[in-house]
Amino acid sequence: MTPTDAANDRSPTLLRLAALLPVATLLAMLPGCASQPMPRAAAAPSQEEAAQATFANPPGLMVNAPDPDPRVGLGPGLFDAEEAIWNMRMLSTTPPEPPFVGSTNSDLAFTGDYAIQGNYDGIQVWDISDPRNPVSVITYLCPASQSDVSIYNHLMFVSGEGLGGRLDCGDEGIPEAVSHDRLRGIRIFDISDIANPEYVANVQTCRGSHTHTVLKHPGDDDNVYIYVSGSAGVRPPEELAGCSGLSPDEDPSSALFRIEVIRVPLDDPQSAEIASSPRIFQDLVAPPRHGLSPADYEELDAARARGDIIGYRRGQPRVLRAQQARAMLDSVVAARGGTGEPTAADRAALQAALDEEGRLQAEQAAQQADEPRPGPTQCHDITVYPHIGLAGGACGGYGLLLDITDPVNPRRLAAVADSNFSLWHSATFNNDGTTVMFTDEWGGGGAPKCRASDPKEWGANATFRIEDGDMIFQAYYKLPAPQSSLENCVAHNGSLIPIPGRDIMIQGWYQGGISLIDWTDPANPVEIGFHDRGPSDGTRQGPGGSWSVYWYNGVIVNSEISRGLDIFELVPNESLTQNEIDAANSVVLTQLNSQGQPIFEWPATFALARAYLDQLERWHGMTAPQIALARDALTAAEGATGAQRSSTLSALAERLRTQANGAADPDKAARLADAVQRLAEGG
C-alpha cells in the first residue's frame, strides 16, 4: 500500500479557504499537486458480461471456467465469509495470533520448514512442516510499517518506513516530528534460534524502507546486498544527517531519484552500511496517466447524492473519509463562531470551495501540460534474478530492466511506461528469463478497482518479452471475476510455480483473492484456478485480502491481511496433470524471498518425463503413437532395476532424440529426451 505525499498549493481559492480552515488541516486533506483530470473512460461491460469475459486461452489449453463464476456475490464476514475455490485444495486457514488481530499482515519469506509473515506490528513465525496444521513459533512485537521481511541464511531483514517505528522495537510510537529514536530503514536480526530472534543492527535511510530486496551475488561469498525502495517523504537532516529533499539539480546528494544499496558483511552484520545510492531514474520524465473509471464516477455521483464531501487530489475528485470531512466541517463551524452540528449551508460552502479548488487545479494542469515533469523518484519493488544477472524494477510510473552483474551499481537497460498503468508495483520473470510480468497497484491497494465497469487494462498485469536488452509489450491480464465496491482489489504479489516447460504463477489480488495464471504464451495469459472470499465487512470496505501468495516446496502459502495464513495445494485438472504437479513438487528450496527469484532446476524423475509427455499430448507436439510408446517404455523402465532400467531408458532417450527433429514441438521433445537420458544416467 502506498503512502500519499502532501503537496503545497498556493492558489487563490486555497488561500481564501484558509480563512475558514486551519492550514494543517488543508495541507493534510487537500494536497494540491495538480495533474490534469482525464476524461471519463468509455463504457465498460456490465457485471454479467464481465463475470463471463476472459482473455484468449493459450493455443490448445482447455479451460472450462465455472459458469457462472462463483466469486461473484459471495457473502461477507471477517472469519466466516463465503468462499469459492477452483483447481486448488485448501489445506488450512489459521487466524492471526492474538497480538496481531486487527493489525495488517504484509509479506512473506521462507526458510526451512518456516514461513515468516510480516505484520505492521512485527513478525510472525509459523512452522508449516505440517501444512494442514501450522504452528505459531513466535509472535515478535516490533512495530514499523510495513515490516516486509527477507531471509539469507541465519539473517533476517525487516523493512521499516512508518513514523512510529522505534529503534528499540517499542510500541509506544514517537509523537515528535524529529526524533533520534525513530527507525526508518532496515532492521537486521540473527535467527540462528528462530524462536528467539536477536536484533543485531539497523541501517537508517533517508526515506525509510517501504520494501527491500535481498541479493546474493554469485561472485561474492562474503556479502549480501539489500536494495532499498523507500517511498515516504525525506527525513529532516536534524533527524538523520545528510538527508535532503531538494532536487538533484539543487543538491547532488538529494535523497530523491535514487535507491539505496546496503552491503551486509556475512561475518559481521553489525557493520552493514549503505554502499551506494544509484540514480537509476536519470533522465526519465513522468509518463501520461489515466484518470477515473466509470465505476469511480458512479460512486462519486452516488456520494454527492448522499451529501458526502468531495475533495480533490492531483486534480482528481475523491470522496473524503468521514473523519477528514468532519474535521473540515468543524473548522468551518468554528470559523463562523458557531457551535454544534454543521448546517447545510456549512456543507454547501465547503463543497463549493473544494470544487473551485479542483477547477483551478485542472486549469493549472492544462497550462503545464506541455512542460515535462520529472519521472519516478523511487521504486516500489525490485525483483532480482541473479542467475541471469537481471532485475525488474517496478518504479511508480515505469517498469525498468536492470543489469545487476555489479551488485553495488545496478544499471538501467530499458524503461517502459504505459498510460493504462497507475502504479508499477512488482515484477516476476519466467524461469528462462525471456519474459517479465509487471503488476499495477492502481489505487494503492486500498480501493476497489475490480468492479464490473473498471477497465480490464487498469489495475492489471502486463507481460513483456525481453529481447536484446529491451522489453516488448505482449498482453494484459486482470482478475476475470468482478468484485464489489466493498472489496479493495488490484494486482499484487505472487510467484512462479515450478511446473516444468510452462510459466504458471500464483498471485494475490487483495480482496479479489488469489488467481492461478498460465502465461506460457505471454500474449495470452489465462486463469486456471482461484480462491476467493466475500468482503470482510458487508456494510463498508473493511480490511482483508491476499497481500501476497507464494509457492514453496509443494504448497501455496497466502498472507491474508486480516484473516491470518492460508495454505493450499494444487490438484490435477484439465489444465494441469498430476505428473506436472509431482514434477513441480520435486523442486526443493531451502529459502525463498518475495523479491528474490531463484532458478528452478528439476531433478531427473519419472514424473518430470511424464510431465513433458503430458504437455506434448496436450499441445499435439508429437504424434499419438509416439507418445503412447514412450509412456509404455517409461512404465517398463520404472518397473525394472539396475542395468535393465538404464538400458531401457537409454534406448528410449535415443529414439526420442531422433523423433524430436520431426516433432511439431521439437524443443519440448528435446527436453523430454534430455530428462529420460538423465534418468538413464541415474539422475
Side-chain angles (χ1 to χ4, degrees):
M1 300 182 183
T2 308
T4 55
D5 296 324
N8 295 317
D9 190 297
R10 297 293 181 262
S11 67
T13 301
L14 190 55
L15 293 175
R16 289 195 298 273
L17 197 56
L20 296 177
L21 306 182
V23 173
T25 301
L26 285 167
L27 292 179
M29 302 188 183
L30 285 176
C33 179
S35 66
Q36 185 174 6
M38 302 291 285
R40 295 192 181 206
S46 68
Q47 179 158 335
E48 181 179 356
E49 292 169 330
Q52 297 174 352
T54 58
F55 292 99
N57 295 345
L61 180 59
M62 298 298 295
V63 178
N64 295 310
D67 184 15
D69 196 308
R71 290 171 286 185
V72 178
L74 289 171
L78 184 57
F79 294 109
D80 58 352
E82 292 182 344
E83 300 183 40
I85 192 167
W86 176 52
N87 287 345
M88 292 188 289
R89 179 184 295 117
M90 177 175 277
L91 299 178
S92 62
T93 179
T94 308
E97 290 294 287
F100 286 171
V101 172
S103 183
T104 298
N105 292 317
S106 57
D107 224 333
L108 293 165
F110 302 86
T111 182
D113 290 332
Y114 303 102
I116 303 178
Q117 185 177 34
N119 181 284
Y120 276 41
D121 282 341
I123 59 168
Q124 175 69 56
V125 179
W126 301 98
D127 182 337
I128 60 170
S129 54
D130 178 1
R132 289 174 173 79
N133 183 34
V135 176
S136 173
V137 176
I138 184 172
T139 304
Y140 189 94
L141 290 170
C142 187
S145 155
Q146 299 178 145
S147 296
D148 279 5
V149 60
S150 293
I151 300 291
Y152 185 76
N153 288 349
H154 65 289
L155 296 178
M156 178 175 70
F157 309 99
V158 184
S159 283
E161 184 180 55
L163 295 177
R166 299 181 58 90
L167 288 170
D168 61 6
C169 281
D171 62 359
E172 62 269 33
I174 298 178
E176 298 85 5
V178 175
S179 173
H180 295 291
D181 295 325
R182 180 172 286 124
L183 180 285
R184 296 178 73 188
I186 297 292
R187 289 180 168 129
I188 303 175
F189 295 83
D190 187 316
I191 55 169
S192 299
D193 178 0
I194 200 164
N196 294 285
E198 180 186 357
Y199 186 9
V200 298
N202 66 76
V203 180
Q204 299 266 40
T205 63
C206 289
R207 301 186 68 179
S209 174
H210 192 65
T211 67
H212 70 269
T213 305
V214 170
L215 170 60
K216 171 58 177 67
H217 192 267
D220 186 347
D221 293 331
D222 298 324
N223 305 284
V224 67
Y225 298 88
I226 302 174
Y227 290 177
V228 178
S229 299
S231 55
V234 178
R235 303 166 79 167
E238 295 82 7
E239 183 170 285
L240 185 63
C243 293
S244 168
L246 299 174
S247 71
D249 291 340
E250 299 173 285
D251 184 351
S253 64
S254 170
L256 302 177
F257 300 97
R258 75 186 194 194
I259 64 171
E260 315 295 348
V261 179
I262 295 173
R263 181 190 287 114
V264 183
L266 294 174
D267 61 355
D268 184 19
Q270 291 86 349
S271 65
E273 62 181 359
I274 296 173
S276 66
S277 300
R279 298 194 185 280
I280 58 175
F281 316 108
Q282 193 73 27
D283 303 325
L284 293 178
V285 297
R289 300 174 66 182
H290 63 71
L292 303 180
S293 76
D296 292 323
Y297 283 109
E298 290 165 8
E299 294 197 5
L300 282 166
D301 291 343
R304 285 186 185 274
R306 293 193 303 267
D308 293 346
I309 300 298
I310 309 300
Y312 293 84
R313 173 177 291 142
R314 294 187 285 273
Q316 294 185 357
R318 65 188 181 95
V319 180
L320 294 183
R321 294 182 178 179
Q323 183 178 1
Q324 295 174 318
R326 181 67 197 219
M328 299 174 75
L329 286 167
D330 287 348
S331 295
V332 172
V333 173
R336 64 172 172 78
T339 59
E341 292 296 311
T343 66
D346 293 330
R347 300 180 72 89
L350 175 60
Q351 188 61 69
L354 297 179
D355 288 342
E356 175 66 9
E357 178 59 31
R359 185 188 68 79
L360 289 175
Q361 287 183 15
E363 288 182 357
Q364 182 182 7
Q367 295 170 358
Q368 299 174 345
D370 295 331
E371 301 176 9
R373 294 177 293 116
T377 68
Q378 81 289 321
C379 281
H380 190 287
D381 283 25
I382 302 173
T383 296
V384 295
Y385 195 178
H387 179 76
I388 61 173
L390 294 178
C395 305
Y398 282 87
L400 307 184
L401 186 66
L402 305 174
D403 180 334
I404 58 170
T405 51
D406 179 354
V408 178
N409 298 292
R411 181 172 59 90
R412 190 178 86 221
L413 298 175
V416 290
D418 185 341
S419 60
N420 283 322
F421 263 45
S422 174
L423 176 65
W424 296 69
H425 178 275
S426 55
T428 302
F429 292 92
N430 69 346
N431 197 56
D432 293 338
T434 57
T435 309
V436 63
M437 178 184 283
F438 287 97
T439 68
D440 174 20
E441 196 187 30
W442 173 35
K449 298 299 184 182
C450 300
R451 298 157 296 186
S453 54
D454 285 323
K456 285 290 186 182
E457 299 81 11
W458 297 4
N461 299 337
T463 55
F464 295 82
R465 284 200 179 277
I466 300 172
E467 299 178 5
D468 299 323
D470 205 353
M471 293 182 286
I472 311 301
F473 173 76
Q474 300 297 299
Y476 298 109
Y477 170 85
K478 189 171 183 179
L479 193 73
Q483 304 288 305
S484 73
S485 61
L486 299 177
E487 297 169 284
N488 56 310
C489 174
V490 74
H492 214 229
N493 295 344
S495 77
L496 278 186
I497 298 175
I499 305 295
R502 297 174 69 180
D503 300 330
I504 294 178
M505 71 179 292
I506 189 73
Q507 183 182 5
W509 292 75
Y510 289 113
Q511 288 199 67
I514 64 176
S515 180
L516 185 66
I517 309 163
D518 186 314
W519 52 300
T520 307
D521 177 0
N524 294 291
V526 61
E527 184 176 60
I528 62 173
F530 58 69
H531 173 264
D532 189 19
R533 292 182 172 95
S536 64
D537 190 312
T539 61
R540 61 182 180 87
Q541 184 182 296
S546 174
W547 181 287
S548 56
V549 58
Y550 304 106
W551 181 94
Y552 182 71
N553 293 346
V555 294
I556 292 169
V557 185
N558 177 45
S559 178
E560 224 287 348
I561 289 172
S562 296
R563 294 158 169 141
L565 195 77
D566 301 321
I567 303 182
F568 304 86
E569 66 179 0
L570 296 174
V571 296
N573 57 77
E574 62 188 357
S575 304
L576 196 62
T577 68
Q578 186 64 56
N579 291 319
E580 290 175 298
I581 296 170
D582 291 344
N585 293 348
S586 72
V587 175
V588 178
L589 304 175
T590 57
Q591 294 186 330
L592 179 69
N593 292 319
S594 62
Q595 296 180 125
Q597 194 162 329
I599 176 90
F600 291 142
E601 297 178 311
W602 292 267
T605 62
F606 283 94
L608 176 63
R610 290 187 173 115
Y612 286 139
L613 273 173
D614 291 347
Q615 293 167 10
L616 287 162
E617 180 179 47
R618 181 186 294 120
W619 283 290
H620 309 292
M622 291 174 61
T623 68
Q626 290 172 336
I627 291 171
L629 286 171
R631 283 186 172 139
D632 289 343
L634 282 173
T635 299
E638 192 172 20
T641 58
Q644 184 181 356
R645 171 181 285 192
S646 180
S647 62
T648 301
L649 290 169
S650 294
L652 175 58
E654 182 61 31
R655 185 169 76 243
L656 290 170
R657 277 193 292 269
T658 301
Q659 292 171 345
N661 294 328
D665 187 347
D667 291 339
K668 184 65 61 68
R671 290 190 186 192
L672 170 60
D674 176 69
V676 172
Q677 184 61 50
R678 288 198 293 130
L679 267 177
E681 296 168 356

